[in-house]
Structure formats: C-alpha cells, structure tokens
C-alpha cells in the first residue's frame, strides 16, 4: 500500500510540475502569441483561410499565400496552457535590418544597374515588424520570413532602379523667368543620366518600395514599416562628374543672380535719370512761366505800351556796363 | 541503500513520460505540427500520409498494419513551410552578345510529400538545375535593355516553364524573381562608367553655356531698357521747355517775345560782358576797334 501511494505521489508530483508549474505563461507588451494544441494552431471561428488582412495580393499570389486565421493572444497573463499545448511568441515591435543583410553572403553594398546601365551601389535600411494579422505565416507558413522579405524587396528594388526615370521630367536647371527655350539643350542632354535622377528622387524611390511591399504581410507575415534607401553610391569618377554638375549649377545660378542684380540697378538708375532730367527741365521752365504770368499782368493792366516801357526800363542797367555807346543824330 | 518507497516515487515520476514515449514509439499516436506532413511506409510501400495538424492515431487511420510500422516501416517528417533559394551568377548572353550575369530568387514549397520523398533522389538540386536552365533559355538572346528592365514578366515566364516539372517532384514553385542582372565583363563596366561620365561632362558644359546665354540675354535686355530710359531723359528738356514756350506763345506771342527779351537781358547783365550799344535800325557800317 505504501509503495502504491508512493507511486501515485510520484505521478502527482509529475502532473503538478507539468500542469501547474510549467503551465502558466506571460505575454510581454511587445509580444503576441499563438497557442498550438498537439501541434495545431487554434483557428478563429470565422476562419476563411485568409490571414493576409488587407494586403493587396494578385489573384495568382492569393492562391500561393493562403494562411488560416489563428487566434492571437495579446499582452498580459498569466495565461494557462495544458502540457500538450505550446506557446509561440513573437515580438511585434518595429525592428530594422540593413539592406545588405544576407545570411548566405557577406557584402557591404547592394549592387544595382541603372537605366543607363551604370553599375552603382545602394545602401539603406528596412524597418519592419511582425504582422499581428498574419502570425500564422510568420510562425508556420514561411521557414525564414525575413529572408523572404529581403529577397522580394531587393528584387523589386533592383528592377525599379533599372527602370527609374525622373517623374518630374528632366530639368537640371532651375526655372527662372526667362524663356524656356533657352534651356532646351541642357534638358535634352540631361536625359538618360539616371544616377542623377535617382539621387534627386530618393524619397520617391522609398515611397514606391513601400507601396510595392504592402503585400509582404499577406505573403510572409512581416509588415514593412519604412524603406530607407539612404545612399546611391556610383563609381568615384561619376561622383566627381555629378559634383561638377552641382558646382556648375550653383555657379550658373550665381551668375544669373548677379546679372539680375546688375540689371535691376541699371534700370533703376536710368529711371532716376529720366526723373532728374524732367525735374531739371521743370526747373528751367518755372521762371519762364512765372515771368510770363507777370508780364501778362503788366500787359493786361497797361497794354502793350506798359510792356514796352517795362522792357526799356529793364535794359537800363545795360548802359552801366556799356564800354561804348554809338549814337546817331 | 535507497528506500523502496523512494524508488516507487521515482517510478511514479517517470511513468507518464515513459508510457507516452512507448505509445509514440509503437506508433499508437502521432502529433503533426502546422505545415508538416508525416509519410508512413511499410514493406517498401507508402501506407499513407497525414498532413492535417493535430493528434492522430495511425491505428484508426491505417488499420492493424500501423502496428507493424515501428518494426518494419518508417515514419518520415516533411516540412511544408515555404522555403526560398537564391541562384547566383547564371551566365547568359544578350542579343548584342554581351555576357551578363543573372541571379534568380525563387520560393518553393512541398505540396506532395510522397512525390517529394520518392520521385527524385535530389529534388532541391533538380529544381535548381531546372530554374537555372529555364532562366538561361528565357533570358538568352534578349535585348540587353529588355533583360534589365522587363524582369518581372521574364520571371513569370521562368516560373511557368519550371512549374509543371517541379510539381512532378512534389514541389510547388512560389514566386520567382530575377533578383539581379549585372555585367560580368569588367572592361564593359568601365566603358559604361566612362560613357556616363562623358555625358555628365556634356551636361555640365551645356549648363554652363545655357547659363552664359541667360546672362547675355539679361544684359542685352537691360541695355535695351536703359537705352530707352536715357533717350527719354535726353528728350525730357526739349519736351518740357517746348511745351511751356508753346503754351505762352498760344496765349500771347508778344508776351513770349517779352519773356525771351527779359531772360536774355538778365543773362547779359549777369555775365558782366563788355557791351557796345548800337541803336536799333542803324543803316551804316560801324567799325568797332
């Protein structure tokens, strides 16, 4: 009887340990969990075999990436699980990974070929997080979700770089108030310098990549938070040539600004010259007008005789200055 | 000497795990995880496959034969999770004869575990070879620009040509992407770099010339406007004085004459010049020394 009780006590100790001591778990605030019973994840009652949430997938992709909706356990606890159940936890906080990350190879940059066939380097980061709406894909559906995301992202990125043209057209020179025809030659020449377009439009490229990767939660259970392509590294000689373009652009802008400033100054000076000439002329005319008014008053009052008398009177001082006066009898 | 009741306790502790291990060992139950298949073979024949996750009892599924499996059969586990592979450096020639390197990335998933295990000794290797040969045949002799820019449609072509074969071996090919297209000839890369540099130099010159043209245009327009204004300034005096004299003349010509006479006399007085006066209307020549 003692041995039987000891045996039962052993079973009880084992059961207590398996059920009570190792049967409770906690899910941290940054974590989500999925519970499996005998290896099977607990499905949602309305499971329509579609865990992609709102991820936009092509019809043929939807066939390939079909995952069931599983019950997600949110942060909290302690939760209880039976010995035949297993908890799968994943952090859903945003993480980042370098673009060059590849477990199969060591590399310092991603090589890509531009539209004008130039081989250039690309660097940057991806910010991602595990998709709460498609944890099945992340835990069970895909063997190495991040490798898939990177493989997909790099493929799309290289394709985009190979076809990228400046969406705003080809303008290396800033617009001024001058006729547009004058910069046609530069615009024609700038076509096809896609490295310049890429550098100028990094935000556009990042936005495009984010749009293209909206399907990753449905595919791999990983959401792309942001694509941060930070550098496009062409060969050094191309870099120098691009720097020369920038220097020239600044020089041209400076020359144009100087020319505008000189022009404004000269035009202002010429306007002032017109005003000065007008004022001088008015100054010259003012005594004439006043004198005319005075003489008109004299004539109005005394007639032509009075006017003649005034003129004669005015000439009297001339006699003071006269050196010689010739008179006829 | 360990007391017997302690041995009983230890036996009680080990009883459940041992029983479970024995039951599993004798194939009384099996647990299938998500995206996993278990293939049961007996006497060289496939007895069946369980690919539904959960707890299963082979005895209920396959009958009494399941009891012979631990001794005379095998239970093989096949993962059906999606995997990926990157085939680097596949060599192709463009239509122009340019040697190009292509990297192709593809996803695959076991969809028929039996075919996967028994139809091909090395399904992964065979799939790689097929993807590689399909890539080479799809991309060879294409225009270089098409190869570089039209990757997605080419990827779909590769997928369509490889899929039927891969499915024979129990594999379902997932997404296929041409992940990298690059030039293998270093000299060609250098030449393209030179071409781009020259183009940039050309753009720089064009910008410089364009800037000079603009500055010239600004200066010439300025010269034109300034010239107009200076002419306006030069014409201001005749315009103002003429208009004033006309106004006085229109009012009374005698007044204008008088005004002019007054002004002239004032100027003469102000100049302090030596004056010799000859009466008006004198009809003789006067010699002045």
């Amino acid at each position: 009887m003692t041995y039987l009780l000891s045996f039962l006590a052993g079973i009880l100790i084992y059961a207590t340990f398996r059920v009570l001591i190792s049967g409770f778990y906690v899910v941290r605030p940054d974590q989500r969990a999925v519970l499996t019973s005998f290896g099977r994840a607990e499905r949602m009652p309305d499971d329509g075999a579609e865990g992609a949430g709102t991820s936009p997938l092509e019809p043929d992709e939807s066939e390939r990436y079909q995952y069931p909706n599983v019950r997600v356990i949110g942060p909290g606890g302690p939760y209880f699980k039976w010995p035949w159940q297993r908890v799968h936890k994943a952090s859903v906080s945003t993480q980042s990974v370098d673009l060059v990350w590849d477990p199969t190879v060591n590399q310092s940059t991603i090589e890509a070929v531009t539209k004008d066939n130039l081989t250039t380097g690309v660097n940057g980061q991806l910010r991602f997080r595990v998709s709460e709406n498609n944890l099945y894909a992340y835990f069970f559906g895909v063997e190495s979700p991040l490798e898939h995301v990177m493989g997909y992202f790099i493929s799309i990125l290289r394709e985009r770089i190979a076809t990228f043209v400046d969406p705003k057209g080809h303008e290396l020179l800033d617009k001024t108030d001058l006729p547009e025809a004058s910069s046609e030659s530069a615009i024609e020449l700038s076509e096809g310098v896609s490295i310049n377009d890429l550098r100028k439009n990094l935000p556009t490229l990042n936005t495009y990549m984010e749009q293209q990767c909206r399907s990753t939660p449905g595919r791999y259970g990983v959401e792309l938070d942001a694509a941060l392509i930070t550098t496009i590294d062409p060969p050094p000689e191309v870099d120098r040539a691009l720097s020369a373009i920038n220097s020239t652009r600044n020089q041209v802008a400076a020359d144009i600004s100087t020319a505008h400033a000189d022009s404004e100054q000269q035009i202002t000076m010429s306007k002032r010259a017109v005003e000065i000439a007008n004022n001088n002329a008015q100054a010259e005319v003012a005594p004439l007008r006043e004198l005319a008014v005075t003489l008109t008053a004299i004539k109005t009052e005394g007639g032509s005789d009075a006017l003649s008398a005034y003129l004669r009177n005015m000439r009297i001082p001339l006699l003071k200055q006269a050196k010689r006066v010739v008179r006829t009898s | 000497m360990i007391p017997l009741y302690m041995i009983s306790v230890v036996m009680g502790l080990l009883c459940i795990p041992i029983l479970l291990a024995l039951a599993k060992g004798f194939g009384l139950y099996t647990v299938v995880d998500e995206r996993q298949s278990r293939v049961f073979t007996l006497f060289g024949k496939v007895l069946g496959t369980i690919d539904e996750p959960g707890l299963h009892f082979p005895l209920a599924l396959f009958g009494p034969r399941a009891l012979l499996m631990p001794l005379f059969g095998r239970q093989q586990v096949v993962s059906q999770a999606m995997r990926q592979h990157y085939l680097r450096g596949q060599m192709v020639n463009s239509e122009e004869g340019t040697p190009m390197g292509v990297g192709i990335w593809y996803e695959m998933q076991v969809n028929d575990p039996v075919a996967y295990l028994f139809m091909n000794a090395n399904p992964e290797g065979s799939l790689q070879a097929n993807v590689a040969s399909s890539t080479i045949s799809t991309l060879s002799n294409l225009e270089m620009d098409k190869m570089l820019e039209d990757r997605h449609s080419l990827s779909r072509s590769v997928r369509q040509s490889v899929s039927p074969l891969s499915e024979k071996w129990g594999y379902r090919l997932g997404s296929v992407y041409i992940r990298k297209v690059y030039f293998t000839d270093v000299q060609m890369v250098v030449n393209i770099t030179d071409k781009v540099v020259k183009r940039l130099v050309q753009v720089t010159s064009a910008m410089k010339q364009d800037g000079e043209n603009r500055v010239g245009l600004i200066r010439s327009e300025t010269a034109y406007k300034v010239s107009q204004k200076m002419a306006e300034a030069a014409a201001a005096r005749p315009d103002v004085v003429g208009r004033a004299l006309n106004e006085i003349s229109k009012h009374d010509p005698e007044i204008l004459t008088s005004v002019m006479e007054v002004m002239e006399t004032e100027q003469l007085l102000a100049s302090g010049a030596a004056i010799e006066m000859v009466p008006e209307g004198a009809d003789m020549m006067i010699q002045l020394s």
Side-chain angles (χ1 to χ4, degrees), chain B residues 58-80:
Chain B
L59 196 63
L61 290 167
F62 310 123
R65 286 179 301 170
L67 295 170
L68 298 174
M69 231 167 9
L71 298 169
F72 306 106
R74 266 179 85 190
Q75 189 185 138
Q76 286 166 286
V77 180
V78 178
S79 169
Q80 287 189 284

Short mmCIF file of all heavy atoms in Angstrom, two decimals, chain B residues 58-80:
data_model
loop_
_atom_site.label_atom_id
_atom_site.label_comp_id
_atom_site.label_asym_id
_atom_site.label_seq_id
_atom_site.Cartn_x
_atom_site.Cartn_y
_atom_site.Cartn_z
N PRO B 58 -2.60 6.46 -35.90
CA PRO B 58 -2.40 5.70 -37.14
C PRO B 58 -3.21 4.40 -37.17
O PRO B 58 -3.65 3.98 -38.25
CB PRO B 58 -0.90 5.39 -37.12
CG PRO B 58 -0.32 6.49 -36.31
CD PRO B 58 -1.33 6.80 -35.27
N LEU B 59 -3.41 3.80 -36.00
CA LEU B 59 -4.20 2.56 -35.95
C LEU B 59 -5.60 2.79 -36.50
O LEU B 59 -6.14 1.96 -37.24
CB LEU B 59 -4.27 2.08 -34.49
CG LEU B 59 -4.70 0.65 -34.24
CD1 LEU B 59 -3.71 -0.33 -34.86
CD2 LEU B 59 -4.82 0.37 -32.74
N ALA B 60 -6.17 3.95 -36.17
CA ALA B 60 -7.52 4.27 -36.65
C ALA B 60 -7.49 4.62 -38.13
O ALA B 60 -8.47 4.37 -38.86
CB ALA B 60 -8.07 5.43 -35.85
N LEU B 61 -6.39 5.19 -38.56
CA LEU B 61 -6.32 5.63 -39.96
C LEU B 61 -5.93 4.49 -40.92
O LEU B 61 -6.48 4.37 -42.01
CB LEU B 61 -5.30 6.77 -40.10
CG LEU B 61 -5.69 8.12 -39.47
CD1 LEU B 61 -4.48 9.03 -39.40
CD2 LEU B 61 -6.79 8.79 -40.29
N PHE B 62 -4.94 3.70 -40.52
CA PHE B 62 -4.40 2.69 -41.44
C PHE B 62 -4.74 1.24 -41.04
O PHE B 62 -4.29 0.30 -41.69
CB PHE B 62 -2.87 2.83 -41.54
CG PHE B 62 -2.43 4.24 -41.81
CD1 PHE B 62 -1.55 4.89 -40.95
CD2 PHE B 62 -2.90 4.93 -42.92
CE1 PHE B 62 -1.14 6.19 -41.19
CE2 PHE B 62 -2.48 6.24 -43.17
CZ PHE B 62 -1.61 6.88 -42.30
N GLY B 63 -5.42 1.07 -39.94
CA GLY B 63 -5.79 -0.28 -39.53
C GLY B 63 -4.66 -0.97 -38.79
O GLY B 63 -3.65 -0.34 -38.43
N PRO B 64 -4.77 -2.30 -38.58
CA PRO B 64 -3.77 -3.05 -37.80
C PRO B 64 -2.36 -2.99 -38.37
O PRO B 64 -1.39 -3.17 -37.65
CB PRO B 64 -4.30 -4.50 -37.83
CG PRO B 64 -5.74 -4.38 -38.23
CD PRO B 64 -5.87 -3.15 -39.05
N ARG B 65 -2.25 -2.70 -39.67
CA ARG B 65 -0.91 -2.63 -40.29
C ARG B 65 -0.05 -1.55 -39.60
O ARG B 65 1.17 -1.65 -39.59
CB ARG B 65 -1.02 -2.29 -41.78
CG ARG B 65 -1.51 -3.46 -42.62
CD ARG B 65 -1.62 -3.06 -44.07
NE ARG B 65 -2.54 -1.94 -44.26
CZ ARG B 65 -2.68 -1.27 -45.39
NH1 ARG B 65 -1.96 -1.62 -46.44
NH2 ARG B 65 -3.53 -0.28 -45.50
N ALA B 66 -0.72 -0.57 -39.05
CA ALA B 66 0.01 0.51 -38.40
C ALA B 66 0.86 0.00 -37.23
O ALA B 66 1.89 0.58 -36.91
CB ALA B 66 -0.97 1.57 -37.90
N LEU B 67 0.45 -1.15 -36.63
CA LEU B 67 1.19 -1.70 -35.50
C LEU B 67 2.53 -2.29 -35.95
O LEU B 67 3.45 -2.41 -35.16
CB LEU B 67 0.36 -2.79 -34.79
CG LEU B 67 -0.92 -2.27 -34.11
CD1 LEU B 67 -1.79 -3.43 -33.67
CD2 LEU B 67 -0.56 -1.39 -32.93
N LEU B 68 2.62 -2.65 -37.24
CA LEU B 68 3.87 -3.24 -37.75
C LEU B 68 4.89 -2.16 -38.13
O LEU B 68 6.06 -2.46 -38.35
CB LEU B 68 3.58 -4.11 -38.98
CG LEU B 68 2.66 -5.32 -38.75
CD1 LEU B 68 2.34 -5.99 -40.07
CD2 LEU B 68 3.34 -6.32 -37.81
N MET B 69 4.43 -0.96 -38.22
CA MET B 69 5.29 0.09 -38.73
C MET B 69 6.55 0.35 -37.89
O MET B 69 7.64 0.52 -38.46
CB MET B 69 4.50 1.38 -38.88
CG MET B 69 4.72 1.94 -40.25
SD MET B 69 3.62 3.22 -40.71
CE MET B 69 2.74 3.61 -39.29
N PRO B 70 6.45 0.35 -36.57
CA PRO B 70 7.68 0.59 -35.80
C PRO B 70 8.76 -0.43 -36.09
O PRO B 70 9.95 -0.12 -36.02
CB PRO B 70 7.21 0.49 -34.35
CG PRO B 70 5.76 0.76 -34.39
CD PRO B 70 5.27 0.23 -35.70
N LEU B 71 8.37 -1.62 -36.44
CA LEU B 71 9.36 -2.67 -36.68
C LEU B 71 9.75 -2.79 -38.15
O LEU B 71 10.91 -2.97 -38.48
CB LEU B 71 8.80 -4.03 -36.20
CG LEU B 71 8.50 -4.11 -34.69
CD1 LEU B 71 7.72 -5.37 -34.37
CD2 LEU B 71 9.81 -4.08 -33.90
N PHE B 72 8.78 -2.68 -39.03
CA PHE B 72 9.06 -2.95 -40.45
C PHE B 72 8.83 -1.73 -41.36
O PHE B 72 8.91 -1.85 -42.57
CB PHE B 72 8.17 -4.11 -40.94
CG PHE B 72 8.31 -5.34 -40.11
CD1 PHE B 72 7.30 -5.72 -39.21
CD2 PHE B 72 9.46 -6.12 -40.18
CE1 PHE B 72 7.44 -6.85 -38.44
CE2 PHE B 72 9.59 -7.26 -39.39
CZ PHE B 72 8.59 -7.63 -38.51
N GLY B 73 8.50 -0.61 -40.77
CA GLY B 73 8.21 0.56 -41.62
C GLY B 73 8.97 1.80 -41.17
O GLY B 73 9.86 1.73 -40.32
N ARG B 74 8.58 2.90 -41.75
CA ARG B 74 9.24 4.18 -41.42
C ARG B 74 8.20 5.30 -41.35
O ARG B 74 7.17 5.24 -42.04
CB ARG B 74 10.25 4.56 -42.51
CG ARG B 74 11.66 4.08 -42.21
CD ARG B 74 12.58 4.48 -43.33
NE ARG B 74 13.08 5.85 -43.18
CZ ARG B 74 13.76 6.49 -44.12
NH1 ARG B 74 13.98 5.91 -45.28
NH2 ARG B 74 14.20 7.71 -43.91
N GLN B 75 8.51 6.28 -40.55
CA GLN B 75 7.65 7.46 -40.50
C GLN B 75 8.55 8.65 -40.83
O GLN B 75 9.48 8.93 -40.07
CB GLN B 75 7.08 7.58 -39.07
CG GLN B 75 6.01 8.63 -38.96
CD GLN B 75 5.55 8.82 -37.51
OE1 GLN B 75 5.38 9.94 -37.11
NE2 GLN B 75 5.37 7.76 -36.74
N GLN B 76 8.32 9.31 -41.98
CA GLN B 76 9.21 10.42 -42.38
C GLN B 76 8.47 11.76 -42.26
O GLN B 76 7.30 11.87 -42.66
CB GLN B 76 9.69 10.22 -43.81
CG GLN B 76 10.74 9.13 -43.90
CD GLN B 76 10.97 8.69 -45.33
OE1 GLN B 76 10.12 8.00 -45.91
NE2 GLN B 76 12.10 9.09 -45.89
N VAL B 77 9.18 12.73 -41.69
CA VAL B 77 8.58 14.06 -41.49
C VAL B 77 9.05 14.98 -42.62
O VAL B 77 10.24 15.07 -42.90
CB VAL B 77 9.01 14.64 -40.12
CG1 VAL B 77 8.40 16.02 -39.92
CG2 VAL B 77 8.60 13.71 -39.00
N VAL B 78 8.08 15.63 -43.26
CA VAL B 78 8.40 16.56 -44.36
C VAL B 78 7.82 17.94 -44.00
O VAL B 78 6.63 18.05 -43.71
CB VAL B 78 7.80 16.09 -45.70
CG1 VAL B 78 8.09 17.09 -46.80
CG2 VAL B 78 8.34 14.71 -46.06
N SER B 79 8.68 18.95 -44.02
CA SER B 79 8.19 20.32 -43.75
C SER B 79 7.54 20.88 -45.01
O SER B 79 8.11 20.77 -46.11
CB SER B 79 9.36 21.21 -43.34
OG SER B 79 8.94 22.55 -43.34
N GLN B 80 6.36 21.45 -44.83
CA GLN B 80 5.67 22.06 -45.98
C GLN B 80 5.68 23.58 -45.89
O GLN B 80 4.91 24.24 -46.59
CB GLN B 80 4.24 21.53 -46.07
CG GLN B 80 4.19 20.08 -46.55
CD GLN B 80 2.78 19.63 -46.84
OE1 GLN B 80 2.03 19.36 -45.92
NE2 GLN B 80 2.43 19.55 -48.10
#
